[in-house]
Amino acid sequence: MSKENFDEIIHRSLEIRKKYHELELLHHGSEWTVEEDALAYLTDAGLVGRNIMSQQQRWPKAGSETELEHKLAENIWWLIVLAERSGIDIKEAVDKILTKMDVALK
């Protein structure tokens, strides 16, 4: 993936999060905290696990293929949001970990 594509994914992710903040204000009078965002992410991460189990015929659940695709992508979105809200440059963080993993596997 090119740097520009990743930049666009990050930009779109953060713009969508702003729209969700607007809905939170409308419906609840306040935006979700970082902790609430983290809890939502963890909930979706758990659903990835259940959908993987279903895909591998280890958990009975209908429609898991479509939901798995959705939840995997949604988890990436949440990680981008959580990184931004935590003051972490996700591009830098991903580059660091991939470099570290490359070096470790040589």
Side-chain angles (χ1 to χ4, degrees), residues 13-43:
S13 295
L14 298 179
E15 288 300 311
I16 289 167
R17 188 66 191 102
K18 285 180 190 176
K19 291 176 184 175
Y20 275 111
H21 280 314
E22 291 171 11
L23 288 174
E24 293 155 7
L25 284 168
L26 180 67
H27 294 286
H28 307 289
S30 63
E31 294 178 359
W32 278 11
T33 64
V34 176
E35 295 89 349
E36 288 170 313
D37 278 358
L39 182 57
Y41 160 69
L42 290 172
T43 300

PDB file of all heavy atoms in Angstrom, residues 13-43:
ATOM      1  N   SER A  13     -10.947   7.739   8.173  1.00  0.00           N
ATOM      2  CA  SER A  13     -11.290   7.169   9.474  1.00  0.00           C
ATOM      3  C   SER A  13     -11.562   8.256  10.504  1.00  0.00           C
ATOM      4  O   SER A  13     -12.553   8.194  11.244  1.00  0.00           O
ATOM      5  CB  SER A  13     -10.157   6.267   9.980  1.00  0.00           C
ATOM      6  OG  SER A  13     -10.005   5.146   9.152  1.00  0.00           O
ATOM      7  N   LEU A  14     -10.704   9.257  10.539  1.00  0.00           N
ATOM      8  CA  LEU A  14     -10.853  10.320  11.531  1.00  0.00           C
ATOM      9  C   LEU A  14     -12.049  11.213  11.216  1.00  0.00           C
ATOM     10  O   LEU A  14     -12.733  11.688  12.134  1.00  0.00           O
ATOM     11  CB  LEU A  14      -9.558  11.121  11.641  1.00  0.00           C
ATOM     12  CG  LEU A  14      -8.343  10.298  12.103  1.00  0.00           C
ATOM     13  CD1 LEU A  14      -7.097  11.163  12.150  1.00  0.00           C
ATOM     14  CD2 LEU A  14      -8.598   9.627  13.451  1.00  0.00           C
ATOM     15  N   GLU A  15     -12.329  11.425   9.944  1.00  0.00           N
ATOM     16  CA  GLU A  15     -13.512  12.208   9.562  1.00  0.00           C
ATOM     17  C   GLU A  15     -14.791  11.478   9.963  1.00  0.00           C
ATOM     18  O   GLU A  15     -15.742  12.092  10.459  1.00  0.00           O
ATOM     19  CB  GLU A  15     -13.512  12.512   8.068  1.00  0.00           C
ATOM     20  CG  GLU A  15     -12.475  13.549   7.659  1.00  0.00           C
ATOM     21  CD  GLU A  15     -12.673  14.893   8.352  1.00  0.00           C
ATOM     22  OE1 GLU A  15     -13.809  15.411   8.357  1.00  0.00           O
ATOM     23  OE2 GLU A  15     -11.679  15.424   8.912  1.00  0.00           O
ATOM     24  N   ILE A  16     -14.823  10.173   9.767  1.00  0.00           N
ATOM     25  CA  ILE A  16     -15.989   9.386  10.164  1.00  0.00           C
ATOM     26  C   ILE A  16     -16.153   9.417  11.675  1.00  0.00           C
ATOM     27  O   ILE A  16     -17.273   9.543  12.187  1.00  0.00           O
ATOM     28  CB  ILE A  16     -15.869   7.941   9.633  1.00  0.00           C
ATOM     29  CG1 ILE A  16     -16.058   7.953   8.106  1.00  0.00           C
ATOM     30  CG2 ILE A  16     -16.862   7.000  10.313  1.00  0.00           C
ATOM     31  CD1 ILE A  16     -15.665   6.664   7.408  1.00  0.00           C
ATOM     32  N   ARG A  17     -15.040   9.343  12.404  1.00  0.00           N
ATOM     33  CA  ARG A  17     -15.133   9.401  13.871  1.00  0.00           C
ATOM     34  C   ARG A  17     -15.729  10.724  14.323  1.00  0.00           C
ATOM     35  O   ARG A  17     -16.516  10.777  15.265  1.00  0.00           O
ATOM     36  CB  ARG A  17     -13.757   9.178  14.523  1.00  0.00           C
ATOM     37  CG  ARG A  17     -13.861   9.030  16.045  1.00  0.00           C
ATOM     38  CD  ARG A  17     -14.618   7.742  16.404  1.00  0.00           C
ATOM     39  NE  ARG A  17     -14.980   7.665  17.800  1.00  0.00           N
ATOM     40  CZ  ARG A  17     -16.198   7.916  18.271  1.00  0.00           C
ATOM     41  NH1 ARG A  17     -17.172   8.294  17.468  1.00  0.00           N
ATOM     42  NH2 ARG A  17     -16.458   7.800  19.558  1.00  0.00           N
ATOM     43  N   LYS A  18     -15.363  11.825  13.653  1.00  0.00           N
ATOM     44  CA  LYS A  18     -15.950  13.135  13.988  1.00  0.00           C
ATOM     45  C   LYS A  18     -17.465  13.100  13.827  1.00  0.00           C
ATOM     46  O   LYS A  18     -18.200  13.658  14.655  1.00  0.00           O
ATOM     47  CB  LYS A  18     -15.360  14.228  13.089  1.00  0.00           C
ATOM     48  CG  LYS A  18     -13.961  14.638  13.442  1.00  0.00           C
ATOM     49  CD  LYS A  18     -13.472  15.717  12.488  1.00  0.00           C
ATOM     50  CE  LYS A  18     -12.002  15.981  12.665  1.00  0.00           C
ATOM     51  NZ  LYS A  18     -11.500  16.953  11.668  1.00  0.00           N
ATOM     52  N   LYS A  19     -17.939  12.456  12.779  1.00  0.00           N
ATOM     53  CA  LYS A  19     -19.381  12.356  12.555  1.00  0.00           C
ATOM     54  C   LYS A  19     -20.053  11.540  13.658  1.00  0.00           C
ATOM     55  O   LYS A  19     -21.159  11.869  14.102  1.00  0.00           O
ATOM     56  CB  LYS A  19     -19.668  11.763  11.179  1.00  0.00           C
ATOM     57  CG  LYS A  19     -19.281  12.702  10.056  1.00  0.00           C
ATOM     58  CD  LYS A  19     -19.480  12.065   8.699  1.00  0.00           C
ATOM     59  CE  LYS A  19     -18.977  13.005   7.602  1.00  0.00           C
ATOM     60  NZ  LYS A  19     -19.039  12.401   6.274  1.00  0.00           N
ATOM     61  N   TYR A  20     -19.383  10.476  14.114  1.00  0.00           N
ATOM     62  CA  TYR A  20     -19.931   9.712  15.230  1.00  0.00           C
ATOM     63  C   TYR A  20     -19.955  10.544  16.505  1.00  0.00           C
ATOM     64  O   TYR A  20     -20.897  10.446  17.297  1.00  0.00           O
ATOM     65  CB  TYR A  20     -19.145   8.411  15.457  1.00  0.00           C
ATOM     66  CG  TYR A  20     -19.614   7.273  14.598  1.00  0.00           C
ATOM     67  CD1 TYR A  20     -18.817   6.777  13.571  1.00  0.00           C
ATOM     68  CD2 TYR A  20     -20.854   6.681  14.800  1.00  0.00           C
ATOM     69  CE1 TYR A  20     -19.241   5.726  12.769  1.00  0.00           C
ATOM     70  CE2 TYR A  20     -21.287   5.630  14.012  1.00  0.00           C
ATOM     71  CZ  TYR A  20     -20.478   5.163  12.993  1.00  0.00           C
ATOM     72  OH  TYR A  20     -20.908   4.118  12.199  1.00  0.00           O
ATOM     73  N   HIS A  21     -18.931  11.382  16.710  1.00  0.00           N
ATOM     74  CA  HIS A  21     -18.947  12.272  17.874  1.00  0.00           C
ATOM     75  C   HIS A  21     -20.160  13.188  17.828  1.00  0.00           C
ATOM     76  O   HIS A  21     -20.786  13.458  18.862  1.00  0.00           O
ATOM     77  CB  HIS A  21     -17.666  13.117  17.937  1.00  0.00           C
ATOM     78  CG  HIS A  21     -16.482  12.396  18.500  1.00  0.00           C
ATOM     79  ND1 HIS A  21     -16.516  11.638  19.642  1.00  0.00           N
ATOM     80  CD2 HIS A  21     -15.197  12.350  18.079  1.00  0.00           C
ATOM     81  CE1 HIS A  21     -15.323  11.147  19.902  1.00  0.00           C
ATOM     82  NE2 HIS A  21     -14.497  11.562  18.956  1.00  0.00           N
ATOM     83  N   GLU A  22     -20.507  13.673  16.650  1.00  0.00           N
ATOM     84  CA  GLU A  22     -21.688  14.532  16.506  1.00  0.00           C
ATOM     85  C   GLU A  22     -22.956  13.773  16.909  1.00  0.00           C
ATOM     86  O   GLU A  22     -23.826  14.329  17.593  1.00  0.00           O
ATOM     87  CB  GLU A  22     -21.807  15.033  15.071  1.00  0.00           C
ATOM     88  CG  GLU A  22     -20.726  16.021  14.681  1.00  0.00           C
ATOM     89  CD  GLU A  22     -20.719  16.354  13.191  1.00  0.00           C
ATOM     90  OE1 GLU A  22     -21.685  15.984  12.478  1.00  0.00           O
ATOM     91  OE2 GLU A  22     -19.740  16.975  12.744  1.00  0.00           O
ATOM     92  N   LEU A  23     -23.064  12.510  16.503  1.00  0.00           N
ATOM     93  CA  LEU A  23     -24.219  11.700  16.893  1.00  0.00           C
ATOM     94  C   LEU A  23     -24.247  11.452  18.401  1.00  0.00           C
ATOM     95  O   LEU A  23     -25.314  11.463  19.022  1.00  0.00           O
ATOM     96  CB  LEU A  23     -24.204  10.367  16.147  1.00  0.00           C
ATOM     97  CG  LEU A  23     -24.537  10.415  14.666  1.00  0.00           C
ATOM     98  CD1 LEU A  23     -24.333   9.042  14.022  1.00  0.00           C
ATOM     99  CD2 LEU A  23     -25.966  10.892  14.456  1.00  0.00           C
ATOM    100  N   GLU A  24     -23.077  11.219  18.984  1.00  0.00           N
ATOM    101  CA  GLU A  24     -23.002  11.008  20.435  1.00  0.00           C
ATOM    102  C   GLU A  24     -23.480  12.246  21.180  1.00  0.00           C
ATOM    103  O   GLU A  24     -24.233  12.140  22.154  1.00  0.00           O
ATOM    104  CB  GLU A  24     -21.567  10.654  20.837  1.00  0.00           C
ATOM    105  CG  GLU A  24     -21.112   9.311  20.299  1.00  0.00           C
ATOM    106  CD  GLU A  24     -19.612   9.173  20.150  1.00  0.00           C
ATOM    107  OE1 GLU A  24     -18.857  10.066  20.586  1.00  0.00           O
ATOM    108  OE2 GLU A  24     -19.197   8.154  19.562  1.00  0.00           O
ATOM    109  N   LEU A  25     -23.051  13.410  20.719  1.00  0.00           N
ATOM    110  CA  LEU A  25     -23.509  14.661  21.332  1.00  0.00           C
ATOM    111  C   LEU A  25     -25.018  14.806  21.211  1.00  0.00           C
ATOM    112  O   LEU A  25     -25.696  15.189  22.173  1.00  0.00           O
ATOM    113  CB  LEU A  25     -22.808  15.862  20.682  1.00  0.00           C
ATOM    114  CG  LEU A  25     -21.368  16.107  21.080  1.00  0.00           C
ATOM    115  CD1 LEU A  25     -20.716  17.124  20.148  1.00  0.00           C
ATOM    116  CD2 LEU A  25     -21.285  16.575  22.528  1.00  0.00           C
ATOM    117  N   LEU A  26     -25.538  14.504  20.053  1.00  0.00           N
ATOM    118  CA  LEU A  26     -26.971  14.614  19.807  1.00  0.00           C
ATOM    119  C   LEU A  26     -27.770  13.668  20.695  1.00  0.00           C
ATOM    120  O   LEU A  26     -28.771  14.050  21.295  1.00  0.00           O
ATOM    121  CB  LEU A  26     -27.255  14.326  18.322  1.00  0.00           C
ATOM    122  CG  LEU A  26     -28.715  14.385  17.875  1.00  0.00           C
ATOM    123  CD1 LEU A  26     -29.239  15.818  17.960  1.00  0.00           C
ATOM    124  CD2 LEU A  26     -28.843  13.865  16.453  1.00  0.00           C
ATOM    125  N   HIS A  27     -27.322  12.424  20.800  1.00  0.00           N
ATOM    126  CA  HIS A  27     -28.086  11.406  21.518  1.00  0.00           C
ATOM    127  C   HIS A  27     -27.777  11.311  23.007  1.00  0.00           C
ATOM    128  O   HIS A  27     -28.644  10.886  23.787  1.00  0.00           O
ATOM    129  CB  HIS A  27     -27.879  10.033  20.873  1.00  0.00           C
ATOM    130  CG  HIS A  27     -28.448   9.946  19.495  1.00  0.00           C
ATOM    131  ND1 HIS A  27     -29.795   9.865  19.241  1.00  0.00           N
ATOM    132  CD2 HIS A  27     -27.844   9.958  18.282  1.00  0.00           C
ATOM    133  CE1 HIS A  27     -30.005   9.825  17.938  1.00  0.00           C
ATOM    134  NE2 HIS A  27     -28.834   9.872  17.325  1.00  0.00           N
ATOM    135  N   HIS A  28     -26.551  11.674  23.408  1.00  0.00           N
ATOM    136  CA  HIS A  28     -26.152  11.476  24.802  1.00  0.00           C
ATOM    137  C   HIS A  28     -25.650  12.733  25.497  1.00  0.00           C
ATOM    138  O   HIS A  28     -25.363  12.703  26.689  1.00  0.00           O
ATOM    139  CB  HIS A  28     -25.064  10.386  24.896  1.00  0.00           C
ATOM    140  CG  HIS A  28     -25.452   9.111  24.232  1.00  0.00           C
ATOM    141  ND1 HIS A  28     -26.412   8.253  24.722  1.00  0.00           N
ATOM    142  CD2 HIS A  28     -25.031   8.548  23.076  1.00  0.00           C
ATOM    143  CE1 HIS A  28     -26.559   7.228  23.908  1.00  0.00           C
ATOM    144  NE2 HIS A  28     -25.735   7.378  22.897  1.00  0.00           N
ATOM    145  N   GLY A  29     -25.468  13.819  24.739  1.00  0.00           N
ATOM    146  CA  GLY A  29     -25.021  15.066  25.337  1.00  0.00           C
ATOM    147  C   GLY A  29     -23.527  15.176  25.521  1.00  0.00           C
ATOM    148  O   GLY A  29     -23.033  16.198  25.994  1.00  0.00           O
ATOM    149  N   SER A  30     -22.781  14.126  25.163  1.00  0.00           N
ATOM    150  CA  SER A  30     -21.322  14.190  25.248  1.00  0.00           C
ATOM    151  C   SER A  30     -20.712  13.179  24.288  1.00  0.00           C
ATOM    152  O   SER A  30     -21.360  12.194  23.923  1.00  0.00           O
ATOM    153  CB  SER A  30     -20.833  13.904  26.676  1.00  0.00           C
ATOM    154  OG  SER A  30     -21.167  12.592  27.062  1.00  0.00           O
ATOM    155  N   GLU A  31     -19.471  13.444  23.920  1.00  0.00           N
ATOM    156  CA  GLU A  31     -18.742  12.510  23.066  1.00  0.00           C
ATOM    157  C   GLU A  31     -18.244  11.358  23.918  1.00  0.00           C
ATOM    158  O   GLU A  31     -17.998  11.508  25.116  1.00  0.00           O
ATOM    159  CB  GLU A  31     -17.526  13.210  22.436  1.00  0.00           C
ATOM    160  CG  GLU A  31     -17.871  14.308  21.483  1.00  0.00           C
ATOM    161  CD  GLU A  31     -16.636  15.013  20.920  1.00  0.00           C
ATOM    162  OE1 GLU A  31     -15.499  14.651  21.306  1.00  0.00           O
ATOM    163  OE2 GLU A  31     -16.822  15.924  20.103  1.00  0.00           O
ATOM    164  N   TRP A  32     -18.058  10.205  23.278  1.00  0.00           N
ATOM    165  CA  TRP A  32     -17.454   9.098  23.980  1.00  0.00           C
ATOM    166  C   TRP A  32     -16.038   9.462  24.397  1.00  0.00           C
ATOM    167  O   TRP A  32     -15.324  10.163  23.676  1.00  0.00           O
ATOM    168  CB  TRP A  32     -17.377   7.873  23.074  1.00  0.00           C
ATOM    169  CG  TRP A  32     -18.643   7.073  22.986  1.00  0.00           C
ATOM    170  CD1 TRP A  32     -19.882   7.422  23.443  1.00  0.00           C
ATOM    171  CD2 TRP A  32     -18.782   5.795  22.386  1.00  0.00           C
ATOM    172  NE1 TRP A  32     -20.780   6.433  23.154  1.00  0.00           N
ATOM    173  CE2 TRP A  32     -20.134   5.418  22.505  1.00  0.00           C
ATOM    174  CE3 TRP A  32     -17.894   4.936  21.759  1.00  0.00           C
ATOM    175  CZ2 TRP A  32     -20.619   4.209  22.021  1.00  0.00           C
ATOM    176  CZ3 TRP A  32     -18.376   3.738  21.271  1.00  0.00           C
ATOM    177  CH2 TRP A  32     -19.722   3.372  21.411  1.00  0.00           C
ATOM    178  N   THR A  33     -15.637   8.951  25.540  1.00  0.00           N
ATOM    179  CA  THR A  33     -14.268   9.125  26.008  1.00  0.00           C
ATOM    180  C   THR A  33     -13.362   8.147  25.261  1.00  0.00           C
ATOM    181  O   THR A  33     -13.838   7.227  24.593  1.00  0.00           O
ATOM    182  CB  THR A  33     -14.170   8.824  27.512  1.00  0.00           C
ATOM    183  OG1 THR A  33     -14.502   7.441  27.720  1.00  0.00           O
ATOM    184  CG2 THR A  33     -15.104   9.720  28.322  1.00  0.00           C
ATOM    185  N   VAL A  34     -12.061   8.329  25.425  1.00  0.00           N
ATOM    186  CA  VAL A  34     -11.108   7.380  24.844  1.00  0.00           C
ATOM    187  C   VAL A  34     -11.353   5.979  25.424  1.00  0.00           C
ATOM    188  O   VAL A  34     -11.282   4.982  24.700  1.00  0.00           O
ATOM    189  CB  VAL A  34      -9.646   7.829  25.099  1.00  0.00           C
ATOM    190  CG1 VAL A  34      -8.663   6.801  24.580  1.00  0.00           C
ATOM    191  CG2 VAL A  34      -9.389   9.176  24.469  1.00  0.00           C
ATOM    192  N   GLU A  35     -11.677   5.934  26.707  1.00  0.00           N
ATOM    193  CA  GLU A  35     -11.948   4.633  27.336  1.00  0.00           C
ATOM    194  C   GLU A  35     -13.165   3.955  26.700  1.00  0.00           C
ATOM    195  O   GLU A  35     -13.160   2.738  26.494  1.00  0.00           O
ATOM    196  CB  GLU A  35     -12.178   4.805  28.849  1.00  0.00           C
ATOM    197  CG  GLU A  35     -10.969   5.280  29.613  1.00  0.00           C
ATOM    198  CD  GLU A  35     -10.857   6.810  29.683  1.00  0.00           C
ATOM    199  OE1 GLU A  35     -11.593   7.522  28.985  1.00  0.00           O
ATOM    200  OE2 GLU A  35     -10.006   7.284  30.452  1.00  0.00           O
ATOM    201  N   GLU A  36     -14.189   4.725  26.390  1.00  0.00           N
ATOM    202  CA  GLU A  36     -15.368   4.142  25.736  1.00  0.00           C
ATOM    203  C   GLU A  36     -15.034   3.672  24.324  1.00  0.00           C
ATOM    204  O   GLU A  36     -15.523   2.626  23.883  1.00  0.00           O
ATOM    205  CB  GLU A  36     -16.515   5.161  25.723  1.00  0.00           C
ATOM    206  CG  GLU A  36     -17.121   5.368  27.103  1.00  0.00           C
ATOM    207  CD  GLU A  36     -18.079   6.532  27.169  1.00  0.00           C
ATOM    208  OE1 GLU A  36     -17.737   7.630  26.669  1.00  0.00           O
ATOM    209  OE2 GLU A  36     -19.177   6.344  27.725  1.00  0.00           O
ATOM    210  N   ASP A  37     -14.202   4.439  23.629  1.00  0.00           N
ATOM    211  CA  ASP A  37     -13.747   3.994  22.309  1.00  0.00           C
ATOM    212  C   ASP A  37     -12.972   2.684  22.435  1.00  0.00           C
ATOM    213  O   ASP A  37     -13.153   1.762  21.636  1.00  0.00           O
ATOM    214  CB  ASP A  37     -12.846   5.043  21.650  1.00  0.00           C
ATOM    215  CG  ASP A  37     -13.615   6.159  20.973  1.00  0.00           C
ATOM    216  OD1 ASP A  37     -14.868   6.124  20.958  1.00  0.00           O
ATOM    217  OD2 ASP A  37     -12.954   7.079  20.443  1.00  0.00           O
ATOM    218  N   ALA A  38     -12.110   2.586  23.447  1.00  0.00           N
ATOM    219  CA  ALA A  38     -11.321   1.371  23.648  1.00  0.00           C
ATOM    220  C   ALA A  38     -12.231   0.182  23.957  1.00  0.00           C
ATOM    221  O   ALA A  38     -12.008  -0.930  23.452  1.00  0.00           O
ATOM    222  CB  ALA A  38     -10.301   1.566  24.766  1.00  0.00           C
ATOM    223  N   LEU A  39     -13.258   0.400  24.750  1.00  0.00           N
ATOM    224  CA  LEU A  39     -14.198  -0.672  25.060  1.00  0.00           C
ATOM    225  C   LEU A  39     -14.947  -1.119  23.808  1.00  0.00           C
ATOM    226  O   LEU A  39     -15.140  -2.318  23.574  1.00  0.00           O
ATOM    227  CB  LEU A  39     -15.180  -0.234  26.142  1.00  0.00           C
ATOM    228  CG  LEU A  39     -16.189  -1.276  26.597  1.00  0.00           C
ATOM    229  CD1 LEU A  39     -15.497  -2.533  27.115  1.00  0.00           C
ATOM    230  CD2 LEU A  39     -17.095  -0.698  27.661  1.00  0.00           C
ATOM    231  N   ALA A  40     -15.348  -0.173  22.965  1.00  0.00           N
ATOM    232  CA  ALA A  40     -16.026  -0.515  21.708  1.00  0.00           C
ATOM    233  C   ALA A  40     -15.088  -1.334  20.816  1.00  0.00           C
ATOM    234  O   ALA A  40     -15.505  -2.326  20.208  1.00  0.00           O
ATOM    235  CB  ALA A  40     -16.489   0.747  20.990  1.00  0.00           C
ATOM    236  N   TYR A  41     -13.820  -0.921  20.753  1.00  0.00           N
ATOM    237  CA  TYR A  41     -12.824  -1.679  19.984  1.00  0.00           C
ATOM    238  C   TYR A  41     -12.701  -3.108  20.520  1.00  0.00           C
ATOM    239  O   TYR A  41     -12.709  -4.070  19.762  1.00  0.00           O
ATOM    240  CB  TYR A  41     -11.467  -0.971  20.010  1.00  0.00           C
ATOM    241  CG  TYR A  41     -10.332  -1.896  19.664  1.00  0.00           C
ATOM    242  CD1 TYR A  41     -10.187  -2.394  18.370  1.00  0.00           C
ATOM    243  CD2 TYR A  41      -9.431  -2.311  20.635  1.00  0.00           C
ATOM    244  CE1 TYR A  41      -9.159  -3.277  18.059  1.00  0.00           C
ATOM    245  CE2 TYR A  41      -8.410  -3.184  20.330  1.00  0.00           C
ATOM    246  CZ  TYR A  41      -8.281  -3.671  19.044  1.00  0.00           C
ATOM    247  OH  TYR A  41      -7.287  -4.553  18.738  1.00  0.00           O
ATOM    248  N   LEU A  42     -12.586  -3.246  21.839  1.00  0.00           N
ATOM    249  CA  LEU A  42     -12.428  -4.579  22.424  1.00  0.00           C
ATOM    250  C   LEU A  42     -13.647  -5.457  22.160  1.00  0.00           C
ATOM    251  O   LEU A  42     -13.504  -6.665  21.937  1.00  0.00           O
ATOM    252  CB  LEU A  42     -12.170  -4.466  23.929  1.00  0.00           C
ATOM    253  CG  LEU A  42     -10.804  -3.902  24.307  1.00  0.00           C
ATOM    254  CD1 LEU A  42     -10.728  -3.649  25.809  1.00  0.00           C
ATOM    255  CD2 LEU A  42      -9.698  -4.827  23.844  1.00  0.00           C
ATOM    256  N   THR A  43     -14.819  -4.865  22.167  1.00  0.00           N
ATOM    257  CA  THR A  43     -16.030  -5.610  21.835  1.00  0.00           C
ATOM    258  C   THR A  43     -15.943  -6.128  20.405  1.00  0.00           C
ATOM    259  O   THR A  43     -16.215  -7.306  20.132  1.00  0.00           O
ATOM    260  CB  THR A  43     -17.268  -4.714  22.016  1.00  0.00           C
ATOM    261  OG1 THR A  43     -17.323  -4.279  23.384  1.00  0.00           O
ATOM    262  CG2 THR A  43     -18.546  -5.448  21.661  1.00  0.00           C
TER     263      THR A  43
END
